[in-house]
Amino acid sequence: MSDTMGTGADAKAADQVRAIEWREDGMATHFANVVNVQGTREQVDLFFGTNRTWNVAETANVVVDLSNRIILTPLAAKRLLSVLGGVLAEYESRHGRLDLEG
């Protein structure tokens, strides 16, 4: 009988919405204008950096200073995809379509 009661209590607890407390005292802010992504079955890696090449016509290579690597589980990466897609859709509805080819 305690198993049945425990299951009901667990289901009730899972249905409760919990508040998230965002703590920013340890947060750092970095600028990036370049991003690259690679992944394996276990993780998705996001690489952020800054393009240091001012005149591409005068150099053979584009130089990017990498500043951050963020490692996500595939589930967290899928959540990021969903949230980021929504933010960009809202941005484009307010400010116009972003053209990746331009």
Side-chain angles (χ1 to χ4, degrees):
M1 183 165 173
S2 63
D3 288 338
T4 306
M5 290 174 56
T7 303
D10 291 343
K12 218 177 212 184
D15 289 341
Q16 291 178 348
V17 176
R18 297 193 179 177
I20 297 174
E21 179 181 337
W22 299 98
R23 295 185 179 180
E24 58 188 46
D25 53 323
M27 181 175 66
T29 301
H30 299 269
F31 172 80
N33 60 8
V34 177
V35 63
N36 197 2
V37 180
Q38 71 180 29
T40 66
R41 182 177 177 177
E42 293 83 21
Q43 68 189 46
V44 175
D45 299 343
L46 306 176
F47 297 90
F48 296 94
T50 305
N51 181 357
R52 297 293 182 192
T53 307
W54 289 98
N55 188 348
V56 242
E58 293 180 4
T59 63
N61 297 320
V62 174
V63 177
V64 175
D65 290 337
L66 291 176
S67 57
N68 299 87
R69 176 177 150 195
I70 308 295
I71 301 171
L72 303 171
T73 64
L75 182 59
K78 190 159 187 174
R79 287 183 185 135
L80 176 62
L81 173 67
S82 176
V83 171
L84 191 56
V87 168
L88 289 172
E90 179 67 26
Y91 178 93
E92 288 183 328
S93 74
R94 290 182 183 186
H95 305 289
R97 181 177 161 91
L98 294 169
D99 183 16
L100 292 177
E101 301 301 320

